[in-house]
Amino acid sequence: MPGVIVDSAIYKGGARVSGPEDLSDALDEARATGDAFLWVGMHEPTEKEFEHVRSEFGLHPLAVEDALTAHQRPKLEVYDDSLFVVLKPVVYDDDLDTVTTGELMVFIGDSFVVTVRHGEGGALAAVRHRLEHEPQVLRHGPTAVLYAVADAVVDHYIDVAAELQADLEELEAEVFQPNGGDAKNTASRIYNFKRQVLEFRRATAPLMQPMSRLSVPGVPFVHEHARPFFRDVADHLTKANEYVEGLDRLLSDALAAHLAQMGVRQNDDMRKISAWAAMAAVPTMVAGIYGMNFDHMPELHTRYGYEVVLVVMGLIVWGLHRMFKRRGWL
């Protein structure tokens, strides 16, 4: 299955060794050796392509269905012959301000590990390469692989959270800039940012329960000496979840502040409009009165009546302008 099985190898005593290409023969050899295991890595296999792996490793049909269909929540499932863990690595595109989640499914059992990757998130090749240079970790068997994969995914959560925090600070500066910026665009960016944080939360929050289970006794196929390491992963995950919750709260506060600022600016605009309308109303009223056809009106037949009325209107408007200016309406 070229292109589907990304890598397949036997590891003995923490070192990669050559073995049969046939999965059945390779698994038999790993089990016969005693201190070895087979690690098979796959990328988006179809049902037909995964059938051979399922039959050779005796994977549970429900776990296989989840691994093939993807779109699963992070979880831990225990079956008779294997342990099934779902992880959701995340990738943040700083240019597009988007969070993209992939999926990693890990099967561990008697002398084998099967990893299935969906999407571009989660570079298992880097994890495998790092483990191959740390034989003291890899010699602990399939549990070491599960720990290394989970640790890499969770550590990247913190990196993504830091990138989101940096972008959020830029967004906050835009919200609180003196001229207010593009109000419509700012509100849209905040809402889109909240959607990305929600997508991030869907990856981090449900993973807490599986990591907590792996750090206590009672989970089969997990080496007892690995529990402290899974507790460390759980601690890092708690930190990542706190980052996500903090980001969500800050975004809610930023949105509320932005809406409040829009309301204040609208009130300022309305006061300015009202002030100018009031100043325009006075000469309009006076001119309207003098436009009525009455014979007996002040200054109507006076030589300088026209000029006097204009001066009076100007003085009234000037007085209103000073009053509005003192009150901060203009």
Side-chain angles (χ1 to χ4, degrees), residues 133-182:
H133 287 79
E134 297 178 355
Q136 72 279 7
V137 176
L138 200 55
R139 66 165 53 99
H140 289 93
T143 305
V145 176
L146 177 59
Y147 158 72
V149 172
D151 185 57
V153 169
V154 172
D155 283 348
H156 193 60
Y157 286 164
I158 297 176
D159 295 338
V160 171
E163 294 179 21
L164 287 170
Q165 178 67 39
D167 284 354
L168 177 57
E169 290 174 359
E170 295 179 4
L171 188 57
E172 286 178 324
E174 180 180 328
V175 169
F176 293 105
Q177 63 182 345
N179 59 4
D182 186 348

Side-chain angles (χ1 to χ4, degrees), residues 286-302:
V286 174
I289 292 174
Y290 273 84
M292 301 173 72
N293 296 322
F294 290 102
D295 289 331
H296 303 287
M297 299 185 70
E299 307 295 338
L300 186 62
H301 299 289
T302 305

Side-chain angles (χ1 to χ4, degrees), residues 161 164-165 168 194 197-198 200-201 204-206 208 237-253:
L164 287 170
Q165 178 67 39
L168 177 57
K194 283 185 71 69
V197 171
L198 176 60
F200 193 12
R201 184 195 294 271
T204 62
M208 194 68 233
L237 182 59
T238 299
K239 182 179 179 181
N241 280 322
E242 289 173 351
Y243 269 129
V244 174
E245 292 174 3
L247 288 170
D248 189 58
R249 286 196 298 269
L250 286 173
L251 281 168
S252 297
D253 293 342

